């Protein structure tokens, strides 16, 4: 008997088809839209880095300002994606898919929207990391980032719906232009209470939102986008569900409009002061830039050193919003960043010291002083912290008319007289001089 064994060959299992969502995420237009959402703020922020790098609140403000450009960009990208099937002439084929119209729309719209959000968040992370080495106090302010991300997501999805409805190739750029103009007009100061609905509304560095404001803004934008999606994708009795996100958006929008100025309040850290009490006057900087105090103290060391032992001085230099209190004098402002301070460093310590010394001599409320008082002021200013540009001004006066040349000679005489005094005599004279700074009786200014 012969046994015959039969070999059975098993066929390999057919490869599982990739999920449609994976193809939407990895290929096509969506990654390019994400790259544009990253590069646009990255380039704009890099071009103006001196204005924000080194201040956490300034970085928050600049990132939020990018919404003015990114929201129209997201809407235009979504609009282009929404018209894809029409351009490919595959609309009828797409309707034969097993999935319903809502799922089909979300599968096509969400990957691009998520790419746009990811690009923006990547640029925001880069900006925060770029600020961190130069920050001189305060803390990061990520409060607006989640709401900004939701707004971008909503803009991309709503733009996708517009792309499905409008069969016109110029629709994406026109939608972007209309969105930019609409946001700019809505954010104007004369737009009234409705400007609070603007997701790109400019935010001052000295303000922080109340806790629910970003949530309300996200619900407002997300509710409108969700209502547009449901109105387009659902049919029949299920269309009533459009009312749910629309009601949420209306409630959030009404809350934003009716809350008035209560949406924002002053940054608590902006009113605090950090002081060096070892000098006279004391030197205080805003608590948001507490790390700048050693630099400011060093820049003013020449002024405070020459004032040692002098009486009738203000108690302190202060750096906070509003008018100085009694016994205080305004320190030259560290803000806006990009002028006196760039990336956590004083740009011109000599100029800064001269401005601080000039604040000690402020006679603005007394009107224009006479030539004798001007000569005394110039002598004190030159002694405490010479104006870096004073030589240039003296040259111009030397070429002027007789009156200007005579005043120049008087100023030079006064400077020489003050410089030639002994230490005790100079302290006595300066004490008498500073006793008259807050007094508009010019006859009390001691002569030189």
């Amino acid at each position: 008997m012969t046994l015959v064994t039969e070999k059975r060959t098993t066929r390999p299992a057919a490869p599982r088809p990739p999920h449609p969502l994976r193809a939407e995420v990895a290929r096509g237009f969506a990654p390019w839209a994400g790259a544009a959402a990253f590069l646009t703020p990255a380039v704009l922020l890099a071009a103006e880095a001196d204005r924000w790098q080194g201040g956490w609140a300034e970085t928050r403000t600049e990132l939020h300002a990018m919404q003015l450009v990114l929201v129209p960009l997201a809407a235009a990208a979504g609009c282009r994606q929404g018209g894809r099937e029409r351009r490919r002439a595959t609309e009828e084929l797409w309707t034969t898919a097993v999935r319903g119209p809502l799922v089909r729309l979300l599968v096509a719209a969400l990957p691009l929207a998520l790419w746009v959000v990811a690009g923006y968040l990547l640029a925001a992370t880069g900006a925060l990391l770029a600020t961190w080495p130069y920050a001189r106090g305060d803390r990061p302010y990520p409060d607006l980032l989640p709401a900004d991300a939701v707004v971008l997501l909503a803009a991309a999805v709503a733009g996708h719906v517009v792309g499905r409805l409008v069969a016109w190739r110029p629709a994406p750029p026109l939608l972007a232009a209309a969105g930019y103009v609409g946001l700019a007009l809505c954010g104007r100061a004369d737009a009234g209470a409705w400007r609070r609905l603007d997701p790109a509304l400019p935010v001052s560095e000295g303000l922080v939102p109340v806790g629910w404001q970003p949530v309300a803004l996200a619900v407002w934008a997300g509710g409108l986008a969700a209502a547009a999606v449901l109105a387009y994708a659902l049919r029949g009795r299920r269309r009533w569900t459009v009312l749910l996100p629309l009601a949420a958006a209306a409630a959030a929008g009404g809350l934003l409009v009716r809350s008035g100025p209560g949406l924002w309040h002053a940054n608590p850290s902006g009113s605090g002061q950090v002081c060096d009490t070892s000098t006279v006057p004391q030197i205080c900087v805003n608590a948001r830039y507490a790390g700048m105090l050693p630099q400011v103290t060093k820049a003013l060391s020449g002024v405070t050193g020459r004032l040692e032992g002098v009486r009738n001085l203000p108690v302190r230099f202060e750096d906070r919003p509003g008018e100085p209190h009694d016994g205080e004098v305004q320190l030259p402002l560290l803000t806006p960043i990009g002028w006196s301070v760039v990336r956590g460093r004083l740009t011109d310590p000599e100029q800064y010291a001269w401005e601080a010394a000039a604040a000690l001599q402020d006679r603005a409320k007394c009107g224009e002083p006479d030539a004798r008082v001007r000569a005394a002021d110039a002598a004190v200013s030159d002694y405490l912290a010479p104006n870096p540009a004073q030589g240039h001004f003296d040259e111009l006066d030397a070429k002027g008319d007789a009156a200007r040349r005579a005043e120049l000679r008087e100023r030079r005489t006064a400077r020489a007289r003050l410089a030639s005094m002994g230490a005790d005599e100079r302290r006595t004279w300066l004490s008498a001089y500073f006793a008259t700074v807050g007094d508009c009786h010019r006859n009390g200014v001691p002569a030189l």
Side-chain angles (χ1 to χ4, degrees):
M1 176 183 284
T2 304
L3 295 175
V4 179
T5 59
E6 181 180 354
K7 289 186 177 181
R8 295 184 178 180
T9 58
T10 58
R11 295 181 179 179
R16 199 174 170 185
H19 195 280
L21 195 59
R22 183 189 304 175
E24 294 283 357
V25 170
R27 294 193 295 271
F29 179 62
W32 292 102
F38 166 73
L39 290 175
T40 300
V43 171
L44 293 176
L45 288 169
E48 300 289 345
D50 289 353
R51 257 185 1 194
W52 56 267
Q53 198 172 7
W56 290 117
E58 287 78 5
T59 302
R60 184 275 313 268
T61 295
E62 290 296 324
L63 284 173
H64 182 68
M66 293 296 108
Q67 294 292 92
L68 183 61
V69 178
L70 288 178
V71 170
L73 175 67
C79 183
R80 185 185 185 281
Q81 183 82 339
R84 178 183 61 181
E85 307 307 329
R86 187 182 303 106
R87 292 193 302 273
R88 295 176 177 176
T90 58
E91 285 181 294
E92 294 184 5
L93 179 63
W94 188 243
T95 58
T96 61
V98 178
R99 296 176 179 85
L102 178 60
V103 175
R104 294 198 303 268
L105 186 146
L106 293 178
V107 167
L110 283 181
L112 181 139
L114 293 175
W115 266 107
V116 170
V117 171
Y120 169 68
L121 292 180
L122 183 60
T125 302
L128 292 173
L129 291 176
T131 294
W132 176 68
Y134 304 106
R136 294 294 180 263
D138 214 356
R139 60 172 179 82
Y141 292 91
D143 39 17
L144 296 180
L145 281 179
D148 289 346
V150 172
V151 168
L152 289 178
L153 183 76
V157 172
H160 189 96
V161 174
V162 173
R164 295 250 178 144
L165 293 173
V166 180
W168 197 31
R169 285 186 178 273
L174 290 178
L175 181 62
Y180 180 83
V181 173
L183 291 176
L185 292 178
C186 186
R188 291 177 54 181
D190 58 358
W194 297 103
R195 68 193 302 261
R196 302 186 189 104
L197 299 177
D198 183 3
L201 185 68
V203 180
S204 171
E205 291 83 0
L207 297 178
V208 291
V210 296
W212 55 265
Q213 191 268 354
V215 178
L217 188 61
V219 173
W220 154 250
L224 291 179
V229 169
L230 294 178
Y232 174 81
L234 299 184
R235 297 290 184 271
R237 295 179 180 178
R238 296 199 306 174
R239 296 195 78 173
W240 71 267
T241 56
V242 172
L243 298 177
L244 296 177
L246 203 57
L255 187 61
L256 291 170
V257 170
R258 294 170 63 87
S259 295
L263 290 175
W264 303 89
H265 58 83
N267 189 344
S269 62
S271 59
Q273 299 274 291
V274 178
C275 300
D276 184 345
T277 59
S278 65
T279 65
V280 179
Q282 299 173 12
I283 299 174
C284 301
V285 300
N286 196 294
R288 286 178 51 209
Y289 311 100
M292 292 293 299
L293 182 58
Q295 289 187 59
V296 173
T297 301
K298 182 179 179 181
L300 300 186
S301 60
V303 176
T304 55
R306 291 180 175 88
L307 291 175
E308 187 174 355
V310 176
R311 301 182 307 278
N312 302 318
L313 294 172
V315 176
R316 66 182 61 86
F317 287 105
E318 59 90 17
D319 177 24
R320 60 182 161 208
E323 291 294 323
H325 298 162
D326 291 339
E328 296 180 343
V329 63
Q330 178 69 53
L331 194 70
L333 294 177
L334 298 175
T335 55
I337 285 181
W339 294 89
S340 296
V341 177
V342 173
R343 297 184 181 88
R345 307 295 301 178
L346 287 174
T347 55
D348 192 344
E350 293 183 2
Q351 178 72 17
Y352 190 84
W354 174 75
E355 292 178 6
L360 290 171
Q361 306 170 276
D362 186 16
R363 300 181 187 273
K365 66 179 182 179
C366 298
E368 181 66 22
D370 56 30
R372 186 179 65 84
V373 175
R374 289 199 299 269
D377 289 345
V380 174
S381 176
D382 190 68
Y383 171 70
L384 295 178
N387 185 351
Q390 189 59 52
H392 173 69
F393 294 140
D394 287 350
E395 289 180 5
L396 293 178
D397 287 341
K399 299 175 182 177
D401 56 22
R404 291 176 62 183
R405 292 196 301 271
E407 187 169 344
L408 174 60
R409 287 193 298 270
E410 189 172 354
R411 289 202 307 268
R412 286 175 171 171
T413 301
R415 291 172 191 165
R417 175 73 181 97
L418 183 61
S420 65
M421 287 181 180
D424 292 337
E425 182 186 5
R426 186 185 299 116
R427 279 193 292 269
T428 301
W429 188 90
L430 288 172
S431 298
Y433 169 84
F434 281 110
T436 68
V437 169
D439 186 358
C440 294
H441 295 290
R442 300 168 185 176
N443 294 333
V445 178
L448 275 175

